[in-house]
Short mmCIF file of all heavy atoms in Angstrom, two decimals:
data_model
loop_
_atom_site.label_atom_id
_atom_site.label_comp_id
_atom_site.label_asym_id
_atom_site.label_seq_id
_atom_site.Cartn_x
_atom_site.Cartn_y
_atom_site.Cartn_z
N MET A 1 59.16 -88.37 9.28
CA MET A 1 58.45 -88.70 8.05
C MET A 1 56.97 -88.91 8.34
O MET A 1 56.61 -89.61 9.28
CB MET A 1 59.04 -90.01 7.47
CG MET A 1 58.42 -90.40 6.14
SD MET A 1 58.85 -92.08 5.67
CE MET A 1 60.37 -91.78 4.81
N PRO A 2 56.11 -88.27 7.56
CA PRO A 2 54.66 -88.48 7.80
C PRO A 2 54.28 -89.95 7.65
O PRO A 2 54.74 -90.62 6.73
CB PRO A 2 54.00 -87.65 6.69
CG PRO A 2 55.05 -86.73 6.17
CD PRO A 2 56.36 -87.39 6.44
N GLU A 3 53.48 -90.44 8.58
CA GLU A 3 52.99 -91.81 8.54
C GLU A 3 51.50 -91.79 8.23
O GLU A 3 50.94 -90.74 7.97
CB GLU A 3 53.28 -92.51 9.87
CG GLU A 3 54.76 -92.47 10.25
CD GLU A 3 55.07 -93.18 11.56
OE1 GLU A 3 54.33 -94.10 11.93
OE2 GLU A 3 56.05 -92.79 12.22
N LEU A 4 50.86 -92.94 8.31
CA LEU A 4 49.45 -93.02 7.91
C LEU A 4 48.57 -91.92 8.52
O LEU A 4 47.82 -91.27 7.78
CB LEU A 4 48.91 -94.42 8.24
CG LEU A 4 47.51 -94.76 7.74
CD1 LEU A 4 47.36 -96.26 7.51
CD2 LEU A 4 46.41 -94.27 8.66
N PRO A 5 48.63 -91.67 9.83
CA PRO A 5 47.72 -90.65 10.40
C PRO A 5 47.97 -89.25 9.84
O PRO A 5 47.03 -88.48 9.65
CB PRO A 5 48.01 -90.71 11.91
CG PRO A 5 48.55 -92.08 12.12
CD PRO A 5 49.37 -92.37 10.90
N GLU A 6 49.25 -88.91 9.59
CA GLU A 6 49.57 -87.59 9.06
C GLU A 6 49.09 -87.48 7.60
O GLU A 6 48.50 -86.47 7.21
CB GLU A 6 51.08 -87.33 9.14
CG GLU A 6 51.59 -87.10 10.56
CD GLU A 6 51.70 -88.38 11.38
OE1 GLU A 6 52.05 -89.42 10.79
OE2 GLU A 6 51.43 -88.35 12.60
N VAL A 7 49.36 -88.52 6.80
CA VAL A 7 48.95 -88.47 5.39
C VAL A 7 47.43 -88.46 5.30
O VAL A 7 46.85 -87.76 4.47
CB VAL A 7 49.56 -89.66 4.61
CG1 VAL A 7 49.13 -89.60 3.14
CG2 VAL A 7 51.08 -89.64 4.68
N GLU A 8 46.77 -89.21 6.17
CA GLU A 8 45.30 -89.24 6.16
C GLU A 8 44.72 -87.86 6.53
O GLU A 8 43.73 -87.43 5.97
CB GLU A 8 44.80 -90.32 7.14
CG GLU A 8 43.30 -90.45 7.24
CD GLU A 8 42.60 -90.71 5.90
OE1 GLU A 8 43.22 -91.34 5.01
OE2 GLU A 8 41.44 -90.29 5.75
N GLU A 55 42.66 -89.59 -2.49
CA GLU A 55 42.65 -90.79 -1.67
C GLU A 55 44.02 -91.00 -1.02
O GLU A 55 44.97 -90.26 -1.27
CB GLU A 55 42.30 -92.01 -2.55
CG GLU A 55 40.94 -91.86 -3.23
CD GLU A 55 40.68 -92.91 -4.30
OE1 GLU A 55 41.35 -93.96 -4.30
OE2 GLU A 55 39.80 -92.66 -5.15
N ARG A 56 44.12 -92.01 -0.18
CA ARG A 56 45.39 -92.37 0.45
C ARG A 56 45.58 -93.87 0.35
O ARG A 56 44.62 -94.64 0.46
CB ARG A 56 45.39 -91.96 1.92
CG ARG A 56 46.70 -92.27 2.64
CD ARG A 56 46.54 -92.19 4.15
NE ARG A 56 45.47 -93.03 4.65
CZ ARG A 56 45.54 -94.36 4.74
NH1 ARG A 56 46.63 -95.01 4.40
NH2 ARG A 56 44.50 -95.04 5.18
N ARG A 57 46.81 -94.29 0.08
CA ARG A 57 47.15 -95.71 0.12
C ARG A 57 48.48 -95.82 0.84
O ARG A 57 49.49 -95.32 0.33
CB ARG A 57 47.23 -96.26 -1.30
CG ARG A 57 47.55 -97.73 -1.39
CD ARG A 57 46.35 -98.60 -1.03
NE ARG A 57 46.67 -100.01 -1.27
CZ ARG A 57 47.22 -100.81 -0.35
NH1 ARG A 57 47.48 -100.36 0.85
NH2 ARG A 57 47.51 -102.07 -0.65
N GLY A 58 48.50 -96.43 2.04
CA GLY A 58 49.72 -96.45 2.84
C GLY A 58 50.13 -95.02 3.13
O GLY A 58 49.33 -94.21 3.60
N LYS A 59 51.39 -94.69 2.81
CA LYS A 59 51.86 -93.32 3.01
C LYS A 59 51.73 -92.48 1.74
O LYS A 59 52.24 -91.36 1.68
CB LYS A 59 53.33 -93.33 3.44
CG LYS A 59 53.57 -93.99 4.81
CD LYS A 59 55.05 -93.97 5.15
CE LYS A 59 55.36 -94.83 6.35
NZ LYS A 59 56.83 -95.00 6.55
N TYR A 60 51.10 -93.03 0.70
CA TYR A 60 50.93 -92.29 -0.55
C TYR A 60 49.62 -91.51 -0.55
O TYR A 60 48.59 -92.01 -0.13
CB TYR A 60 50.89 -93.24 -1.75
CG TYR A 60 52.19 -93.90 -2.09
CD1 TYR A 60 52.53 -95.14 -1.56
CD2 TYR A 60 53.08 -93.29 -2.98
CE1 TYR A 60 53.72 -95.77 -1.89
CE2 TYR A 60 54.28 -93.91 -3.32
CZ TYR A 60 54.60 -95.14 -2.77
OH TYR A 60 55.78 -95.75 -3.10
N LEU A 61 49.69 -90.29 -1.10
CA LEU A 61 48.48 -89.55 -1.45
C LEU A 61 48.20 -89.85 -2.91
O LEU A 61 49.12 -89.92 -3.73
CB LEU A 61 48.73 -88.05 -1.32
CG LEU A 61 48.47 -87.40 0.03
CD1 LEU A 61 49.00 -85.98 -0.02
CD2 LEU A 61 47.00 -87.42 0.39
N LEU A 62 46.93 -89.98 -3.24
CA LEU A 62 46.57 -90.40 -4.58
C LEU A 62 45.47 -89.48 -5.11
O LEU A 62 44.37 -89.45 -4.57
CB LEU A 62 46.09 -91.86 -4.51
CG LEU A 62 45.47 -92.48 -5.74
CD1 LEU A 62 46.46 -92.48 -6.89
CD2 LEU A 62 45.06 -93.92 -5.42
N LEU A 72 50.44 -89.80 -7.97
CA LEU A 72 50.80 -90.47 -6.74
C LEU A 72 51.88 -89.63 -6.06
O LEU A 72 52.96 -89.44 -6.61
CB LEU A 72 51.35 -91.85 -7.11
CG LEU A 72 51.34 -92.97 -6.09
CD1 LEU A 72 49.96 -93.16 -5.51
CD2 LEU A 72 51.80 -94.25 -6.78
N VAL A 73 51.58 -89.13 -4.87
CA VAL A 73 52.52 -88.25 -4.16
C VAL A 73 53.04 -88.97 -2.93
O VAL A 73 52.25 -89.48 -2.12
CB VAL A 73 51.83 -86.94 -3.73
CG1 VAL A 73 52.79 -86.07 -2.92
CG2 VAL A 73 51.30 -86.18 -4.95
N HIS A 74 54.37 -89.02 -2.79
CA HIS A 74 54.96 -89.52 -1.55
C HIS A 74 55.71 -88.36 -0.90
O HIS A 74 56.58 -87.76 -1.51
CB HIS A 74 55.91 -90.69 -1.81
CG HIS A 74 56.14 -91.51 -0.57
ND1 HIS A 74 56.69 -90.99 0.57
CD2 HIS A 74 55.88 -92.80 -0.30
CE1 HIS A 74 56.77 -91.93 1.50
NE2 HIS A 74 56.27 -93.05 1.01
N LEU A 75 55.35 -88.05 0.34
CA LEU A 75 55.90 -86.86 1.00
C LEU A 75 57.30 -87.09 1.56
O LEU A 75 57.99 -86.12 1.91
CB LEU A 75 54.97 -86.45 2.14
CG LEU A 75 53.51 -86.18 1.73
CD1 LEU A 75 52.63 -86.09 2.97
CD2 LEU A 75 53.40 -84.91 0.91
N ARG A 76 57.70 -88.38 1.67
CA ARG A 76 59.02 -88.71 2.25
C ARG A 76 59.27 -87.97 3.56
O ARG A 76 58.49 -88.01 4.45
CB ARG A 76 60.15 -88.43 1.24
CG ARG A 76 60.01 -89.21 -0.03
CD ARG A 76 60.30 -90.69 0.15
NE ARG A 76 59.86 -91.42 -1.05
CZ ARG A 76 59.67 -92.73 -1.11
NH1 ARG A 76 59.87 -93.47 -0.04
NH2 ARG A 76 59.27 -93.30 -2.21
N LEU A 125 51.01 -99.78 -6.76
CA LEU A 125 50.61 -99.69 -5.36
C LEU A 125 50.69 -101.04 -4.67
O LEU A 125 51.12 -101.15 -3.52
CB LEU A 125 49.19 -99.13 -5.24
CG LEU A 125 49.04 -97.64 -5.57
CD1 LEU A 125 47.57 -97.26 -5.59
CD2 LEU A 125 49.80 -96.79 -4.56
N LYS A 128 54.22 -102.03 -3.68
CA LYS A 128 54.84 -101.26 -2.60
C LYS A 128 54.13 -101.44 -1.26
O LYS A 128 54.73 -101.20 -0.22
CB LYS A 128 54.81 -99.76 -2.95
CG LYS A 128 55.48 -99.42 -4.25
CD LYS A 128 56.89 -98.96 -4.02
CE LYS A 128 57.56 -98.57 -5.33
NZ LYS A 128 58.98 -98.28 -5.14
N ASN A 129 52.84 -101.77 -1.29
CA ASN A 129 52.04 -101.73 -0.06
C ASN A 129 51.34 -103.04 0.22
O ASN A 129 50.70 -103.61 -0.66
CB ASN A 129 50.95 -100.66 -0.17
CG ASN A 129 51.52 -99.27 -0.28
OD1 ASN A 129 52.10 -98.75 0.66
ND2 ASN A 129 51.38 -98.68 -1.44
N GLU A 132 45.91 -102.28 3.98
CA GLU A 132 45.67 -101.11 4.82
C GLU A 132 45.36 -101.59 6.24
O GLU A 132 44.43 -102.38 6.43
CB GLU A 132 44.46 -100.32 4.29
CG GLU A 132 44.75 -99.48 3.09
CD GLU A 132 45.70 -98.33 3.39
OE1 GLU A 132 45.55 -97.68 4.45
OE2 GLU A 132 46.59 -98.10 2.57
N LEU A 158 57.72 -104.76 11.05
CA LEU A 158 56.52 -103.91 11.01
C LEU A 158 56.72 -102.65 10.16
O LEU A 158 55.76 -102.06 9.69
CB LEU A 158 56.09 -103.52 12.43
CG LEU A 158 55.58 -104.65 13.32
CD1 LEU A 158 55.17 -104.09 14.67
CD2 LEU A 158 54.41 -105.39 12.68
N LEU A 159 57.99 -102.23 10.01
CA LEU A 159 58.25 -101.04 9.19
C LEU A 159 58.24 -101.33 7.70
O LEU A 159 58.24 -100.42 6.88
CB LEU A 159 59.60 -100.41 9.58
CG LEU A 159 59.67 -99.78 10.97
CD1 LEU A 159 61.04 -99.16 11.21
CD2 LEU A 159 58.58 -98.73 11.16
N ASP A 160 58.25 -102.62 7.34
CA ASP A 160 58.16 -103.02 5.93
C ASP A 160 56.74 -102.70 5.44
O ASP A 160 55.77 -103.28 5.93
CB ASP A 160 58.47 -104.52 5.82
CG ASP A 160 58.45 -105.01 4.38
OD1 ASP A 160 57.91 -104.31 3.50
OD2 ASP A 160 58.96 -106.11 4.14
N GLN A 161 56.65 -101.79 4.48
CA GLN A 161 55.33 -101.33 4.01
C GLN A 161 54.50 -102.45 3.38
O GLN A 161 53.29 -102.34 3.27
CB GLN A 161 55.49 -100.18 3.02
CG GLN A 161 56.14 -98.95 3.63
CD GLN A 161 55.33 -98.37 4.78
OE1 GLN A 161 54.25 -97.82 4.56
NE2 GLN A 161 55.81 -98.51 6.01
N VAL A 164 52.69 -103.91 6.70
CA VAL A 164 51.63 -102.99 7.17
C VAL A 164 51.82 -101.67 6.43
O VAL A 164 52.75 -100.93 6.71
CB VAL A 164 51.72 -102.70 8.69
CG1 VAL A 164 50.43 -102.06 9.16
CG2 VAL A 164 52.03 -103.94 9.49
N ALA A 165 50.93 -101.36 5.52
CA ALA A 165 51.05 -100.11 4.74
C ALA A 165 50.79 -98.91 5.64
O ALA A 165 49.78 -98.87 6.35
CB ALA A 165 50.06 -100.12 3.58
N GLY A 166 51.72 -97.96 5.61
CA GLY A 166 51.49 -96.70 6.32
C GLY A 166 52.08 -96.63 7.70
O GLY A 166 52.14 -95.56 8.30
N LEU A 167 52.52 -97.77 8.24
CA LEU A 167 53.12 -97.75 9.58
C LEU A 167 54.56 -97.27 9.47
O LEU A 167 55.29 -97.69 8.58
CB LEU A 167 53.07 -99.16 10.19
CG LEU A 167 53.31 -99.26 11.70
CD1 LEU A 167 52.21 -98.56 12.48
CD2 LEU A 167 53.42 -100.71 12.13
N GLY A 168 54.98 -96.39 10.38
CA GLY A 168 56.35 -95.88 10.38
C GLY A 168 56.92 -95.94 11.78
O GLY A 168 56.37 -96.60 12.67
N ASN A 169 58.02 -95.23 11.98
CA ASN A 169 58.79 -95.35 13.21
C ASN A 169 58.00 -94.99 14.48
O ASN A 169 58.06 -95.69 15.48
CB ASN A 169 60.02 -94.45 13.11
CG ASN A 169 61.13 -94.92 14.01
OD1 ASN A 169 61.34 -96.14 14.14
ND2 ASN A 169 61.84 -94.02 14.64
N ILE A 170 57.23 -93.92 14.41
CA ILE A 170 56.50 -93.46 15.60
C ILE A 170 55.41 -94.45 16.00
O ILE A 170 55.35 -94.93 17.13
CB ILE A 170 55.85 -92.08 15.34
CG1 ILE A 170 56.94 -91.01 15.18
CG2 ILE A 170 54.88 -91.72 16.47
CD1 ILE A 170 56.40 -89.64 14.80
N ARG A 259 66.84 -97.33 13.04
CA ARG A 259 65.87 -96.34 13.52
C ARG A 259 65.84 -96.29 15.04
O ARG A 259 65.88 -97.33 15.70
CB ARG A 259 64.46 -96.69 13.01
CG ARG A 259 64.37 -97.02 11.53
CD ARG A 259 64.69 -95.81 10.65
NE ARG A 259 63.82 -94.68 10.91
CZ ARG A 259 62.62 -94.52 10.37
NH1 ARG A 259 62.14 -95.40 9.54
NH2 ARG A 259 61.89 -93.46 10.65
#
Side-chain angles (χ1 to χ4, degrees):
M1 183 192 272
E3 304 181 27
L4 188 152
E6 289 76 36
V7 180
E8 179 56 30
E55 301 169 20
R56 181 195 54 74
R57 181 75 174 89
K59 295 179 190 170
Y60 289 92
L61 272 171
L62 172 60
L72 202 53
V73 177
H74 200 300
L75 304 167
R76 301 288 168 197
L125 288 173
K128 304 264 182 187
N129 296 291
E132 283 293 318
L158 293 181
L159 292 181
D160 182 344
Q161 297 299 290
V164 194
L167 195 65
N169 204 39
I170 293 175
R259 312 294 302 276

